[in-house]
Amino acid sequence: MGEVIIVGGGAAGMLAAVSCARQGKKVSLYEKNEKLGKKLFITGKGRCNITNACDAEDFLDHVVGNPRFLYSAFYNFTNLDMMELLTELGLPLKTERGNRVFPKSDKSSDVIKVLSRELQRLGVEVFLNTPVKDIIVEDGSVRGILLNKGERRECSSVLIATGGLSYPSTGSTGDGYLFARKLKHTIAELSPGLVPFEVKEGFVKELMGLSLKNISIRIADSRGKTLYSEFGEMLFTHYGVSGPILLSASSHVTKALARENLTLFIDLKPALTKEQLNARILREIEENRGKQMKNMLSSLLPSSLVPVMLSYLGISPERRGNELSKQERLAMVDGLKSFSLTLTGFRDYNEAIITRGGVSVKEVNPSTMESKLVKGLYFAGEVLDVDAHTGGFNLQIAWSTAYLAGQNMS
């Protein structure tokens, strides 16, 4: 009965197996896909943003859902510990803008490769194409698992590391929530997390693929109250807006957007005050007196944004700069400083990086990741109601909770 079983061969499942087997325990890992790390393979556009190299305090500031629950797990196995482990396993790393950590090769498959190799070295038995049907519990304690074909495997503890609902094509179909619910665990409301927004304005189609760097955004409700603001990078899509700062924003405005449409204000020139921007436009007009607006604005904006901005301001592209009234010029300053779009909703789980919500952390011991309701039942990774901003933080949540669970499974 000393065997430990891990359900789910993603980031959390693989690391928990390593952590557990390094203590000499007999570990079996069950994965319903044909290979390990299927979702890990597509993270960071296939490059795998492993973690974030910021300091500990800063790291926890980026955790949106239940940061306090994460303290034990994170300080037991930090972002630096994860980097050290992968380096020790022979994976060279690099740190990019925003402290985001990637494999030097830019290949997520290399992360999966080194973890798989370590599982093999430690003698972890990996069962692929083997879905788990049920967790067997008797007298309040885990006794084993039931496989799809009705086969029973006995064990002393089980870790549920099945991920969430995001990217269902990778096998994330919410199995862990079903297991947890059946065992009387509460599931905090589930929703797509780190997910792009849909907008009302049809003109965004003309901007599809345009990436804006060094801009700042503000999202406000109908009363004008600011719900989120950030500086960084965003992207226009055929249906709305995405990119790092918008994905992170999605975690903060879920409930508000369910109630009403919200307004996104984009400051395209955050480094300049309105006065400085007005002076800059006046200078452009002075230096290019006969130039048409469509040509003059190209020094201030990306070319695909020029016709959209002029239409937004109600100014003809053929109009000459020196024909602008003071009122129109000030309206242009306002437009560049607070270009607004109406946020109407989110995309679905197919485009969500993570799932928000999950197994209630009130029913899980933060020092061990063991269930408070069932002895020998553990949880790690996305199945838990813990989530963070984009930038490697969510993967670190998976690594930290998995490592701690692996240490405590007996």
Side-chain angles (χ1 to χ4, degrees), residues 3 59 69 76 91 210 226 259 302 306:
E3 190 182 342
F59 187 97
F69 173 81
N76 177 68
L91 184 73
L210 172 65
T226 299
R259 288 193 299 269
V306 172

Side-chain angles (χ1 to χ4, degrees), residues 66 69 160 174-190 356-365 370-374 377 379 381-386:
N66 297 310
F69 173 81
I160 295 177
D175 302 354
Y177 306 130
L178 301 176
F179 296 144
R181 245 190 216 113
K182 213 169 166 185
L183 297 171
K184 305 288 187 284
H185 273 275
T186 310
I187 306 298
E189 190 185 345
L190 303 169
R356 296 204 74 214
V359 175
S360 169
V361 297
K362 289 178 184 154
E363 299 164 358
V364 179
N365 182 339
E370 185 177 16
S371 162
K372 291 179 181 177
L373 312 183
V374 180
L377 180 68
F379 297 97
E382 201 180 334
V383 73
L384 287 162
D385 180 21
V386 187

Side-chain angles (χ1 to χ4, degrees), residues 78 109 138 190 207 212 218 234 246 282 327 338 352 395:
T78 67
S109 55
E138 291 162 9
L190 303 169
L207 299 172
L212 298 176
R218 182 171 77 86
M234 68 168 283
L246 270 308
L282 268 174
Q327 212 172 349
S338 58
L395 252 183

Side-chain angles (χ1 to χ4, degrees), residues 323-338:
E323 294 168 358
L324 280 191
S325 66
K326 182 184 177 183
Q327 212 172 349
E328 285 172 317
R329 194 178 70 249
L330 293 176
M332 185 181 290
V333 169
D334 282 339
L336 292 169
K337 290 294 285 178
S338 58

